[in-house]
């Protein structure tokens, strides 16, 4: 069982660990993204969101941030699930929060991008209604129109 909550500073280190574990499971060298060092400043202060999925022990098992780039467009950022919690509905639950946020802000298009070899992402996003469009920054670019 898990629950989704808005990020709080007490979850910072555990959220970072979750992202690093997710990257490691994808065969990537786990590096730390600058935006994760200050989630409050990079997501919440500008009016965007960052959610964490917590297990029954209050440990972070999933993360998802959103960043609006215009009144009509939003990007998904840092959707990672701990490897042992994949395929349990955590990603879909996190995305439902992002989609509800987008609708509340009258955002029309949700974007995401990821490396070409992220096969799990290539399966997940179409299952959520995303379609692939032109590449972006050398990555696969998917959008969902609301």
């Amino acid at each position: 069982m898990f629950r989704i909550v808005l990020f709080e500073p007490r979850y910072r280190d555990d959220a970072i660990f979750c992202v690093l574990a997710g990257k490691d499971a994808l065969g990537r060298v786990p590096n730390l993204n600058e935006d994760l060092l200050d989630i409050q400043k990079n997501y919440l202060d500008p009016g965007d969101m960052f959610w964490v999925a917590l297990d029954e022990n209050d440990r972070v098992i999933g993360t998802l941030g959103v960043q609006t780039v215009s009144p009509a467009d939003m990007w998904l950022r840092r959707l990672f699930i701990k490897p042992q919690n994949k395929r349990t509905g955590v990603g879909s639950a996190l995305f439902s929060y992002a989609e509800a946020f987008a609708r509340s802000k009258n955002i029309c298009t949700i974007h995401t991008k990821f490396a070409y070899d992220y096969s799990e992402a290539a399966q997940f996003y179409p299952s959520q209604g995303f379609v692939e469009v032109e590449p972006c920054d050398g990555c696969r670019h998917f959008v969902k129109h609301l």
Side-chain angles (χ1 to χ4, degrees):
M1 201 63 186
F2 63 88
R3 61 190 174 96
I4 310 293
V5 300
L6 186 60
F7 173 83
E8 295 177 22
R10 66 184 166 137
Y11 300 124
R12 178 185 174 267
D13 292 347
D14 210 18
I16 289 170
F17 177 76
C18 178
V19 171
L20 294 176
K23 287 181 178 189
D24 185 55
L26 292 169
R28 293 286 191 254
V29 174
N31 64 332
L32 188 57
N33 301 88
E34 188 82 18
D35 60 309
L36 293 174
L37 295 175
D38 194 342
I39 291 169
Q40 182 71 41
K41 180 182 106 183
N42 291 303
Y43 291 91
L44 304 178
D45 288 351
D48 294 322
M49 301 295 270
F50 196 97
W51 299 276
V52 292
L54 302 173
D55 68 11
E56 60 277 355
N57 298 313
D58 250 12
R59 298 302 306 264
V60 176
I61 60 170
T63 62
L64 176 59
V66 297
Q67 291 183 318
T68 53
V69 293
S70 77
D73 294 274
M74 173 178 95
W75 282 84
L76 300 181
R77 307 274 309 216
R78 313 295 173 234
L79 176 56
F80 283 97
I81 311 301
K82 277 190 178 173
Q84 64 269 32
N85 299 99
K86 289 184 177 184
R87 294 174 193 77
T88 61
V90 175
S92 295
L94 283 163
F95 177 67
S96 71
Y97 275 71
E99 189 171 29
F101 174 77
R103 290 182 191 283
S104 77
K105 299 289 188 180
N106 295 315
I107 290 170
C108 303
T109 307
I110 302 174
H111 300 261
T112 191
K113 66 180 179 178
F114 51 87
Y116 282 92
D117 61 342
Y118 280 19
S119 59
E120 290 174 337
Q123 292 175 349
F124 174 77
Y125 287 109
S127 77
Q128 302 298 316
F130 282 77
V131 295
E132 189 166 8
V133 295
E134 76 285 347
C136 178
D137 299 327
C139 293
R140 294 180 81 173
H141 179 193
F142 281 68
V143 298
K144 180 173 182 174
H145 299 287
L146 302 177

